[in-house]
Amino acid sequence: MKKIALCISLLAGATGAVSAQRVVADKIVGIVGDKIILKSDIDGQIDQAKRENMLDAHPELGDPCYQMQAQLTTKALVLQAEKDSLPVSDEDVENELDLKIRNFIQIYGSKEILEQIAGQSIYQIKDNFRQAIKENLLASGERKKVVDDVTVTPTEVKAFYDKIPKDSLPYFESQMQVGEIVITPKNNLELDQYLRDQLNEYKSEIETGKRTFELLAKLYSDDPGSKDRGGLLQVNRADKNIDPVFLNAAFRLKEGQVSPVIKAKDGYDIIQMVARSGDDATVRYILKAPQVADAEINSAKGKLDSIRARLITGALNFGQAVALYSEDDNSKQYGGLMINPNDGSTFFTYEDLDKDLIDVVKGMKSGEYSQPMVYTDRLKRNVRILFLKSRTEPHRMNMTDDYNHIADGALAEKKNDIFQKWLVKKIPSYYIMIDPDYLQCPSLHVWAQYANPETREAKAPVAKGTN
């Protein structure tokens, strides 16, 4: 039963949650206002850091003093957020809970397996961690409120850079910003009708018992993510990552029932309700991806050829072309720049790029546009041209090539300094209790000096200064 302990510990570490059972068994090692800190909150965070092999890069995560300071800070932020009536809606909490649960369902394969390992239903797991999720959202919101308006000047950026020892400046691989203008060719109507007819035939076979939904999904579904599982999918009614058309169709079904053919974001589907518990459900589905005729692909290429010619002559700039013609919503909101999924920035190394883009981008110079390219996104063929906005060569960090990176670091440092000053001013206004076992932590000196009298009498000498 080691997996049970692992799962519960992972959930606790991810949320800082405190269940009713833990309150009974745990020792209270800290209090801020009316918010308590349990020893298992400290131990759980350290255990999680060990499991995720984070201690080599961040050894402080294994330090009980560091974890206690983090817990005290979080509780103080929650108190202030409640005092400021910071809005955190029930919907925000439920969405965050659903995200956590989905992550664990992906790890273990299904909702049923997760419940078996945890020894609890999904609803019980959510109930145990709902308050902790809300506190985390409140703390994050309050910290954001304190530092949200902080900015840095070029002088501050330069001062931050000058403080970095020259032999410690990071080495950057070649980085680039890549834009795109995307056209999505229209589906072939005759082929679309053929797909709908196929799905209706599958639905008939399932309902007459000729073949099972699971078998048909394995044989014919175009979705590689669920095909091998017989189309099996765990869904929640509030999941914003799933097409609402798909969800609405699924939750109208009774157990065992198969839906009519529906047109969703990725193509055409039929859905079978396997099991449902409130807003959670297990379904199977068969997806047939939309088909695009070669004539439509060639038409899109021709349109992009014309746009490219106007870009090259200067009759149109890239931003205008994106606004007028691009049909990709994700890059369009960033002025056509592609977003690196690894860090959310607009900068890519060659390792970050898809394989089909590397050779193309390597052959381009900054400011150049590629020929129209066919690619597949969400199981559908699209056409795009690429724009290489910028590219740096491998180098040590410097103010010329890396100003934005340096400015981000300077801003983070300034925000942290301002937040620490804010926190030091707030600490005296809270009731604070710290267990004597933690009073020798130098990083807790500011907290300890304002702790309740019985704590101060028990405390050992601590180093001056703050961390």
Side-chain angles (χ1 to χ4, degrees):
M1 300 300 288
K2 289 182 179 178
K3 285 187 176 180
I4 296 179
L6 172 61
C7 180
I8 296 300
S9 183
L10 279 170
L11 286 167
T15 61
V18 178
S19 69
Q21 291 177 338
R22 288 174 60 202
V23 170
V24 173
D26 283 349
K27 175 183 178 182
I28 295 175
V29 293
I31 301 175
V32 182
D34 60 352
K35 313 298 180 186
I36 66 170
I37 301 166
L38 301 175
K39 188 174 186 302
S40 64
D41 293 327
I42 309 296
D43 295 341
Q45 294 292 340
I46 294 172
D47 289 342
Q48 184 184 0
K50 290 178 180 177
R51 281 192 304 272
E52 296 178 0
N53 297 316
M54 298 176 65
L55 296 186
D56 288 342
H58 301 282
E60 70 277 5
L61 296 178
D63 180 7
C65 294
Y66 174 89
Q67 294 293 354
M68 172 60 92
Q69 184 183 27
Q71 291 286 339
L72 290 166
T73 300
T74 296
K75 301 304 183 185
L77 282 166
V78 171
L79 287 170
Q80 191 62 41
E82 291 175 347
K83 182 178 179 181
D84 294 343
S85 300
L86 203 68
V88 171
S89 68
D90 291 341
E91 182 181 3
D92 292 336
V93 175
E94 292 305 314
N95 287 341
E96 189 69 16
L97 275 169
D98 289 337
L99 178 61
K100 300 287 186 189
I101 296 298
R102 283 200 305 274
N103 288 340
F104 285 103
I105 288 175
Q106 288 178 356
I107 291 172
Y108 292 104
S110 73
K111 178 174 71 73
E112 288 75 19
I113 295 174
L114 173 61
E115 290 178 330
Q116 180 181 0
I117 291 172
Q120 297 176 323
S121 69
I122 293 296
Y123 287 106
Q124 288 172 319
I125 295 171
K126 285 184 175 182
D127 282 344
N128 283 342
F129 303 117
R130 184 171 280 105
Q131 181 59 32
I133 289 287
K134 183 174 183 179
E135 287 194 359
N136 286 346
L137 291 174
L138 284 169
S140 298
E142 184 63 30
R143 193 184 194 285
K144 185 176 185 295
K145 177 183 174 184
V146 172
V147 300
D148 209 29
D149 295 330
V150 177
T151 59
V152 287
T153 66
T155 301
E156 290 173 317
V157 175
K158 178 66 164 57
F160 174 81
Y161 174 76
D162 289 341
K163 289 191 304 183
I164 304 173
K166 295 303 177 276
D167 59 356
S168 298
L169 290 171
Y171 184 82
F172 290 138
E173 299 293 337
S174 180
Q175 290 187 309
M176 63 214 76
Q177 290 180 295
V178 183
E180 63 179 357
I181 299 171
V182 178
I183 291 180
T184 302
K186 292 181 174 60
N187 299 348
N188 183 291
L189 296 181
E190 290 184 4
L191 291 175
D192 276 11
Q193 184 58 53
Y194 175 70
L195 297 180
R196 290 195 292 268
D197 291 343
Q198 277 189 311
L199 287 169
N200 277 318
E201 184 178 336
Y202 301 155
K203 174 179 166 68
S204 176
E205 289 188 31
I206 294 162
E207 291 177 338
T208 58
K210 289 184 178 180
R211 289 195 282 186
T212 66
F213 199 109
E214 180 179 4
L215 175 61
L216 288 167
K218 288 180 177 180
L219 290 173
Y220 302 118
S221 180
D222 289 335
D223 180 17
S226 66
K227 180 179 178 129
D228 291 342
R229 302 194 305 270
L232 198 66
L233 180 69
Q234 308 293 328
V235 296
N236 179 277
R237 187 191 288 272
D239 192 337
K240 294 182 179 180
N241 295 314
I242 298 179
D243 185 353
V245 173
F246 183 97
L247 286 175
N248 289 336
F251 279 92
R252 282 198 295 266
L253 300 172
K254 298 177 182 178
E255 289 191 7
Q257 187 178 5
V258 179
S259 75
V261 177
I262 64 164
K263 188 178 188 306
K265 186 178 294 183
D266 290 335
Y268 296 99
D269 300 280
I270 55 173
I271 308 167
Q272 183 183 50
M273 177 62 71
V274 177
R276 178 178 173 183
S277 178
D279 288 339
D280 293 304
T282 301
V283 301
R284 293 188 189 274
Y285 71 103
I286 300 172
L287 166 68
K288 299 305 292 181
Q291 303 297 305
V292 179
D294 289 342
E296 294 294 341
I297 293 290
N298 292 332
S299 175
K301 284 183 176 180
K303 184 175 181 179
L304 283 172
D305 265 330
S306 175
I307 294 169
R308 180 175 183 270
R310 294 171 64 193
L311 288 165
I312 291 172
T313 61
L316 188 69
N317 67 44
F318 180 70
Q320 291 170 331
V322 169
L324 289 171
Y325 304 113
S326 187
E327 297 175 354
D328 182 84
D329 293 335
N330 292 328
S331 60
K332 195 168 185 175
Q333 63 180 317
Y334 295 96
L337 292 179
M338 298 171 65
I339 302 303
N340 187 337
N342 296 323
D343 60 12
S345 75
T346 59
F347 291 90
F348 291 80
T349 66
Y350 285 115
E351 291 183 352
D352 295 327
L353 291 172
D354 292 337
K355 292 180 180 179
D356 61 332
L357 297 183
I358 294 176
D359 289 339
V360 177
V361 172
K362 278 186 175 180
M364 296 172 65
K365 297 178 181 178
S366 294
E368 284 189 343
Y369 298 92
S370 75
Q371 296 290 335
M373 307 165 50
V374 180
Y375 74 103
T376 301
D377 179 49
R378 301 182 69 89
L379 305 176
K380 184 174 182 180
R381 291 194 297 167
N382 300 299
V383 185
R384 66 183 168 193
I385 55 175
L386 301 180
F387 170 55
L388 184 58
K389 181 178 180 181
S390 66
R391 175 167 50 207
T392 63
E393 297 304 318
H395 63 283
R396 290 283 176 193
M397 187 172 76
N398 62 76
M399 287 287 289
T400 301
D401 296 319
D402 309 299
Y403 182 85
N404 289 338
H405 286 288
I406 299 166
D408 288 343
L411 181 60
E413 181 181 78
K414 186 175 181 180
K415 284 185 175 183
N416 186 62
D417 289 345
I418 288 174
F419 173 71
Q420 293 300 328
K421 290 175 183 176
W422 174 89
L423 184 62
V424 168
K425 288 182 180 179
K426 290 292 181 181
I427 289 173
S429 64
Y430 305 130
Y431 169 81
I432 298 166
M433 187 281 283
I434 299 174
D435 188 274
D437 289 347
Y438 295 88
L439 289 172
Q440 295 186 32
C441 298
S443 60
L444 301 183
H445 172 67
V446 174
W447 294 92
Q449 66 181 320
Y450 295 107
N452 55 306
E454 57 269 29
T455 298
R456 289 199 298 270
E457 290 171 7
K459 105 180 146 174
V462 293
K464 293 184 178 180
T466 62
N467 191 18

